[in-house]
Amino acid sequence: MVMQQKALVESGRANDLGYKTFRLGGYEFERNAYFTIIRYPGGEYHIPVGEFMRAVQRDIGWNFFYGMVKFDEVFGTFNFYEKGVDMFLGKYNDAWQKSGKHYSEMFPNEKISATFKAILEDWVPPDFNPWAAPRETGSPFGRKRGGPHPAIFRKRIVTTTMIKTQRTDDTHPVNEAFQDLRGKDGEMKIKPEYAERFGLLNLYEYLARNDVTWNPEIVSAVEYSLFCPTTEEYILPITHGNDRVEWFLLLNGQISMEVRDRDTGILLAYLHMKPGDCTAMPADISHNLWAPERSMLLVWENGNPQLPELIRLGKTPTAPLEEFGLK
Amino acid sequence: MVMTGSMAKYTKGNLLLIDDRPIRYAMSNIYEIGATWPKSYDRVVIGKNGPYVLACFRAEGEDASWWYMPHDEYLLLVEGEVRVDYIEPRDQLKPGPHKTVTGTDMGHMVLRDGSLASLPARVAYRMRAAKKSLVLLQTKHSEWLTYAWEDICLTEE
């Protein structure tokens, strides 16, 4: 950990199991063998520690992503970009709202990010990879036994044009689920003097070799239009409440999802996607996804930083087809 | 084995609505569009987000048009085999389709299942497919796209 990050992190002595406790504003985070305990001015809240570490990994891996990242139905973060990141308990849960017991606190991105990274570095066991599907990794439970797993330092892949480097056996072996599902090599016959301006990548092969789950990474960009394919298996470790419309296109496998009102958590719908299905996620919902088998999902985002404000002002619809008068 | 789809054989998903309307999810299936859309190379919009568009079309035979856009585009060949020829135009062209383009031959690509390829800004391109193929296009809104939400989207559970 570099000195600058150390200054942002408030950590205490290790508990009897060997894990440090971390403080962030009015919150305190402690882990035991099975759970994360989140203390806040109104009391304490518990989350199973495996689910908590998987969610923290995505949250900082995506730099708090677009809008809301709920770790479960109660606790999570809301990204307000240059204004900071709001950490909340119950703020977007109908029952907690009605009880008046919800709590939230805004932090500078750097501070919450540094604290979450420090938690992972101290709490993640050496044999537990938070990016992996459950069948691929060890247990998050028990007393401290070294660590952390090196995967927590993995950087998200992004581009402003397109990815041109294919993954190979040397660094990215094909996932066993995709052994029978491979791309077919294309041919680039562009004259050498123009080759720099072109790109060709086999996306199926690239994704078959993906070493993480539930991690949209950018492979091509038309201005703010971002193709963010990802490989999915088991359950998305967070519930995503976007601050803009996003779209999903399932390339193969199967995905089901539970859709809820973003701000109250009240259930709205279930969607079951098959290969080739394309569907919109309106900007006023939250979604959790599950995949019964490893699946390639093309997530399509509009990264325009002005969108949340345009939606708030009613200048951009929350559901994509409203602009076509289909209601 | 992971579930796959094709224009020859596909299964569509479904919705179970507790308190919502199907049109908000604009759920369509690209294999169904590729298999059933009457006209090949007709760019059917399956997603729109502000000025940005996701479209799909069936490539079959030679496209009647060369395409020229002022912005980059990307193409994912979902299924089949497509050849894309590229020309650097001698003169700047109007955006959109053109019957003919004169300029410098830049070469071509042959795309197969899973190919993600660039269609650079201000480069003219034309596609041809020896067999029925399915293309996904990452582009921007223009007058040359087909919007047919009521035809392609699920409207009931």
Side-chain angles (χ1 to χ4, degrees):
Chain A
M1 192 187 302
V2 298
M3 287 305 291
Q4 193 179 5
Q5 279 183 312
K6 272 186 178 170
L8 295 168
V9 176
E10 299 174 51
S11 60
R13 295 177 60 187
N15 60 17
D16 290 346
L17 294 172
Y19 297 110
K20 287 181 184 171
T21 296
F22 294 85
R23 180 172 289 280
L24 179 64
Y27 292 100
E28 185 183 77
F29 297 89
E30 182 181 359
R31 79 154 283 183
N32 56 36
Y34 290 108
F35 292 93
T36 295
I37 302 164
I38 304 170
R39 296 190 181 86
Y40 68 105
E44 63 181 67
Y45 183 72
H46 297 203
I47 300 178
V49 74
E51 278 82 338
F52 180 81
M53 291 190 292
R54 289 185 175 103
V56 169
Q57 183 70 79
R58 268 75 185 177
D59 211 9
I60 57 171
W62 306 333
N63 195 22
F64 305 100
F65 213 31
Y66 301 116
M68 179 194 295
V69 172
K70 262 182 170 174
F71 289 30
D72 62 5
E73 67 274 21
V74 174
F75 177 82
T77 61
F78 203 122
N79 192 357
F80 290 97
Y81 309 100
E82 70 277 1
K83 293 177 185 166
V85 178
D86 192 42
M87 180 181 281
F88 60 81
L89 253 166
K91 189 174 182 179
Y92 302 100
N93 178 295
D94 186 53
W96 278 66
Q97 288 166 357
K98 286 173 180 164
S99 75
K101 295 189 173 177
H102 55 283
Y103 179 75
S104 70
E105 197 173 341
M106 185 88 88
F107 299 103
N109 178 303
E110 300 77 22
K111 188 164 178 64
I112 184 171
S113 183
T115 302
F116 273 177
K117 284 175 183 169
I119 287 174
L120 287 184
E121 286 182 32
D122 191 69
W123 289 7
V124 171
D127 54 340
F128 173 69
N129 177 356
W131 289 116
R135 69 172 172 84
E136 298 175 306
T137 194
S139 166
F141 304 130
R143 71 170 47 246
K144 192 171 172 77
R145 52 186 184 274
H149 193 289
I152 71 165
F153 300 108
R154 186 186 186 282
K155 300 289 184 201
R156 186 180 183 218
I157 296 167
V158 296
T159 180
T160 54
T161 55
M162 79 170 275
I163 298 290
K164 296 180 179 177
T165 306
Q166 191 61 265
R167 291 165 166 162
T168 65
D169 282 340
D170 292 340
T171 55
H172 293 79
V174 174
N175 189 278
E176 66 171 288
F178 291 134
Q179 291 291 346
D180 298 324
L181 184 80
R182 308 287 291 278
K184 295 176 182 169
D185 286 342
E187 299 169 42
M188 187 153 154
K189 305 283 188 183
I190 300 295
K191 293 178 178 175
E193 61 268 37
Y194 301 114
E196 186 71 17
R197 295 165 62 181
F198 290 84
L200 174 63
L201 176 89
N202 194 287
L203 187 64
Y204 295 169
E205 185 74 12
Y206 184 82
L207 292 175
R209 297 175 180 278
N210 199 11
D211 56 347
V212 290
T213 61
W214 307 108
N215 184 39
E217 296 182 296
I218 303 170
V219 297
S220 62
V222 176
E223 300 167 359
Y224 289 126
S225 162
L226 309 174
F227 266 12
C228 309
T230 161
T231 48
E232 323 293 48
E233 188 172 336
Y234 191 51
I235 299 172
L236 172 61
I238 59 102
T239 293
H240 184 210
N242 212 330
D243 58 12
R244 63 199 67 208
V245 175
E246 65 181 334
W247 291 79
F248 296 154
L249 196 159
L250 187 62
L251 298 171
N252 54 54
Q254 302 174 72
I255 298 273
S256 292
M257 68 182 85
E258 185 181 75
V259 177
R260 294 176 178 273
D261 181 90
R262 189 190 67 175
D263 296 334
T264 64
I266 292 173
L267 185 64
L268 297 177
Y270 297 98
L271 276 69
H272 301 286
M273 297 181 74
K274 303 297 184 193
D277 278 341
C278 179
T279 187
M281 291 287 101
D284 55 1
I285 59 101
S286 67
H287 55 264
N288 185 248
L289 279 63
W290 57 98
E293 57 186 354
R294 207 167 186 95
S295 306
M296 297 183 186
L297 180 69
L298 177 58
V299 176
W300 180 45
E301 296 280 1
N302 181 345
N304 184 344
Q306 295 177 332
L307 270 180
E309 184 64 5
L310 292 172
I311 288 172
R312 193 185 69 78
L313 295 173
K315 293 182 177 176
T316 296
T318 54
L321 299 197
E322 286 175 4
E323 66 180 293
F324 298 95
L326 298 173
K327 293 197 173 184
Chain B
M1 189 168 172
V2 172
M3 188 175 187
T4 58
S6 69
M7 288 184 283
K9 188 178 180 184
Y10 58 90
T11 304
K12 290 172 65 176
N14 59 78
L15 300 156
L16 174 60
L17 300 171
I18 307 300
D19 183 20
D20 215 338
R21 291 158 293 135
I23 202 69
R24 280 181 21 103
Y25 300 95
M27 198 169 180
S28 63
N29 185 285
I30 58 172
Y31 292 119
E32 180 180 58
I33 295 168
T36 62
W37 202 252
K39 197 175 162 195
S40 59
Y41 292 106
D42 191 5
R43 298 170 170 212
V44 180
V45 176
I46 56 167
K48 186 172 184 297
N49 203 338
Y52 306 114
V53 162
L54 192 56
C56 75
F57 57 88
R58 183 179 66 254
E60 196 172 16
E62 188 170 83
D63 192 351
S65 301
W66 287 86
W67 290 87
Y68 178 90
M69 290 295 179
H71 52 79
D72 288 339
E73 298 174 292
Y74 296 94
L75 174 166
L76 174 64
L77 190 71
V78 179
E79 174 190 352
E81 184 172 312
V82 168
R83 173 178 162 134
V84 187
D85 287 280
Y86 299 92
I87 287 179
E88 182 145 67
R90 187 174 301 144
D91 306 304
Q92 187 150 341
L93 303 175
K94 285 183 182 173
H98 296 263
K99 290 292 174 200
T100 58
V101 173
T102 54
T104 308
D105 174 20
M106 304 171 84
H108 70 272
M109 291 196 212
V110 179
L111 312 180
R112 301 191 175 94
D113 295 16
S115 291
L116 177 69
S118 56
L119 305 168
R122 295 174 295 283
V123 169
Y125 65 87
R126 184 169 66 176
M127 298 179 205
R128 59 182 139 140
K131 60 179 180 180
K132 196 183 287 188
S133 302
L134 182 61
V135 174
L136 187 68
L137 186 67
Q138 182 184 13
T139 185
K140 293 182 71 174
H141 169 73
S142 71
E143 61 188 277
W144 305 287
L145 298 164
T146 297
Y147 287 90
W149 301 115
E150 283 156 321
D151 296 326
I152 65 170
C153 294
L154 282 182
T155 54
E156 55 190 36
E157 294 179 55

